Amino acid sequence: MTYAAITGWGACMPPAVLTNDDLSTFLDTSDEWISSRTGMRERRVSHVGAIELSTIAASRALACAGLDASDVDLIIYGGVSNDELVPNSASGVQVALGATRAASIDLNTACTSFCYGLTTATAMIRTGVVRNAIVIGVELISRYMDWSNRNVAVLFGDGAAAVVLQASENEEGVLGSILGCDAEGRQTLRVRGFGCTYALHDVTFGDTLWDFDGQAIFKRAVHAMSDASKRVLEQQGLTADQVDLVVPHQANLRIIEAVAKYAGVPMDRVVVTVEKYGNMSAATVPVALVEALEAGRVKPGATLLMPAFGGGLTYCSLLVKWGQRVTPLGTSPMTLPPLTHTALEMVNTIRSHQDPHGRSLEGLMAPTFAESFADANAG
Ligand code: UT7
């Protein structure tokens, strides 16, 4: 039987820090509100593109695995943030790494993209389609955040991390995945302004309006992640006390605490990064995993649970059996260029390019193309 062992891991966190106090310089919000409602104190704003963040994270994961880029068969770029849509982002990582033999896929299930990518790559390795894969979770949300909307602007951050998977005879890696989508809730989280549906409207990229029903998402997220975790444990014949570490999606500390409670795992066995990085969507689970490894919290042979949810509303919970190695085989020389601006300066620059009231999008509810076409002709 072939398994897909996780043999390499690496993160690339942008160094510029945006604090809650920075946010209150231009939003009607406060450190007290943000930290008490979400557990977040700061988040990162990237000064480079998403492909660059991903490439550095992937090169660190490759060095950690002791694998050459030319041995990579598959790159999955998991996330919503693309530097461009065509060509795809995974191909940008591929060329920067020199992974000349790889197939390259962009995979978007919003915040669950890394976990879905991990499941996809594992299945492809286990069925013999590929042997060596890189799976990336990355987001560059600062570029399309609606910085005038305090309901969402305080919640998100940028970041990236990657893992390397290799075919192995040892029973390790992702052993079970429950994937699903609560599609009836898809309207609770929509970023208006992206996509073909807006083609006939005068919409500048990066000008977005977020439809975001935080309380509805909160309830659906807790239910979906808890249920998926229960089912994946049952599927694997395990109980909560056999889980060594939960590495959950980091959208809100209160959501994490609720999921841990339902799962029956105490918080000292849950990885939490939300106070430092906010919600990095697809990057939260791999960044938390890398930090747990670097802190010595993942022991050889550990059993990990990875619940996540995101726009769609996609959800999942993965059961991962770690291998024997918890330290890197090598390090990568790749690093980010030096910072030239503070996080607040970068955000203020993005804000200065945005329509402060989302006027071009107001009232535009994801029309069909036919409706857009009729509107454009009428106007
Ligand atoms: O990864 C997927 C995306 N993540 C999520 O979907 C997160 C899920 N939801 C949540 O984490 C929480 O629902 C939030 C953190 C978004 C909101 O927390 P809440 O406890 O559900 O607050 P609320 O939406 O009930 O808002 C309470 C009050 C409102 O004022 P009123 O109507 O009571 O006067 C909001 O207008 O807080 C106000 N508010 C704010 N106040 C200060 C909303 N955002 C802010 C803010 N600063 N940033």
Side-chain angles (χ1 to χ4, degrees):
M1 181 93 83
T2 304
Y3 297 92
I6 302 175
T7 58
W9 52 91
C12 182
M13 289 307 300
V17 174
L18 188 73
T19 64
N20 292 347
D21 286 340
D22 287 334
L23 286 162
S24 30
T25 62
F26 60 89
L27 286 172
D28 178 15
T29 190
S30 64
D31 176 47
E32 201 285 324
W33 190 96
I34 302 169
S35 54
S36 64
R37 299 284 176 142
T38 69
M40 297 171 191
R41 297 193 177 275
E42 49 190 52
R43 68 287 295 143
R44 302 294 172 94
V45 176
S46 179
H47 63 303
V48 301
I51 290 177
E52 191 165 349
L53 283 179
S54 302
T55 301
I56 296 173
S59 81
R60 290 175 179 166
L62 276 176
C64 175
L67 196 70
D68 200 83
S70 60
D71 292 325
V72 175
D73 305 309
L74 172 70
I75 298 171
I76 297 185
Y77 177 102
V80 183
S81 316
N82 291 286
D83 291 350
E84 297 169 300
L85 276 178
V86 181
N88 75 350
S89 299
S91 62
V93 177
Q94 175 178 351
V95 76
L97 290 174
T100 46
R101 289 192 323 108
S104 286
I105 303 174
D106 285 8
L107 187 156
N108 171 4
T109 56
C111 304
T112 58
S113 302
F114 172 79
C115 294
Y116 270 57
L118 200 53
T119 302
T120 305
T122 297
M124 288 173 76
I125 289 173
R126 294 193 67 171
T127 51
V129 179
V130 298
R131 288 190 66 77
N132 302 318
I134 296 173
V135 181
I136 299 160
V138 55
E139 297 296 356
L140 189 63
I141 300 176
S142 60
R143 303 300 194 273
Y144 55 89
M145 173 49 62
D146 175 358
W147 289 107
S148 67
N149 181 352
R150 70 176 183 174
N151 292 321
V152 286
V154 304
L155 300 178
F156 292 90
D158 300 337
V163 296
V164 168
L165 304 185
Q166 292 184 258
S168 167
E169 299 310 308
N170 301 328
E171 188 178 4
E172 61 185 76
V174 178
L175 299 186
S177 297
I178 298 290
L179 308 180
C181 186
D182 177 10
E184 289 194 352
R186 71 192 291 274
Q187 77 288 348
T188 60
L189 175 43
R190 164 174 281 125
V191 181
R192 283 192 260 164
F194 284 148
C196 301
T197 199
Y198 301 100
L200 296 178
H201 294 267
D202 188 17
V203 177
T204 311
F205 182 85
D207 251 348
T208 57
L209 268 190
W210 291 55
D211 299 330
F212 187 84
D213 184 346
Q215 288 194 359
I217 305 169
F218 191 114
K219 286 181 203 141
R220 286 171 182 267
V222 171
H223 171 75
M225 286 201 287
S226 304
D227 184 58
S229 297
K230 183 167 158 269
R231 282 158 57 204
V232 80
L233 286 174
E234 276 169 12
Q235 181 200 71
Q236 296 300 310
L238 293 170
T239 55
D241 55 348
Q242 291 171 291
V243 174
D244 297 301
L245 208 55
V246 181
V247 188
H249 175 48
Q250 315 271 326
N252 185 322
L253 180 60
R254 292 185 292 141
I255 294 178
I256 296 171
E257 286 171 344
V259 172
K261 193 170 162 204
Y262 277 113
V265 181
M267 282 302 287
D268 62 356
R269 284 195 268 137
V270 180
V271 184
V272 177
T273 65
V274 73
E275 75 284 7
K276 291 189 294 184
Y277 304 139
N279 180 352
M280 298 177 290
S281 176
T284 63
V285 171
V287 167
L289 175 65
V290 171
E291 295 221 338
L293 280 151
E294 288 175 351
R297 294 185 71 186
V298 180
K299 306 292 180 205
T303 297
L304 312 181
L305 189 65
M306 297 180 182
F309 77 97
L313 296 169
T314 60
Y315 63 85
C316 62
S317 192
L318 274 49
L319 200 288
V320 175
K321 185 86 177 154
W322 204 260
Q324 289 307 303
R325 186 167 57 78
V326 290
T327 50
L329 289 178
T331 54
S332 162
M334 274 198 193
T335 52
L336 285 167
L339 269 183
T340 52
H341 296 85
T342 66
L344 185 56
E345 285 166 350
M346 287 190 274
V347 167
N348 281 334
T349 302
I350 298 165
R351 289 176 60 228
S352 71
H353 285 83
Q354 290 182 331
D355 168 357
H357 306 296
R359 277 184 302 270
S360 54
L361 290 157
E362 204 70 66
L364 189 60
M365 278 301 296
T368 63
F369 188 76
E371 285 164 350
S372 297
F373 199 67
D375 285 352
N377 285 338

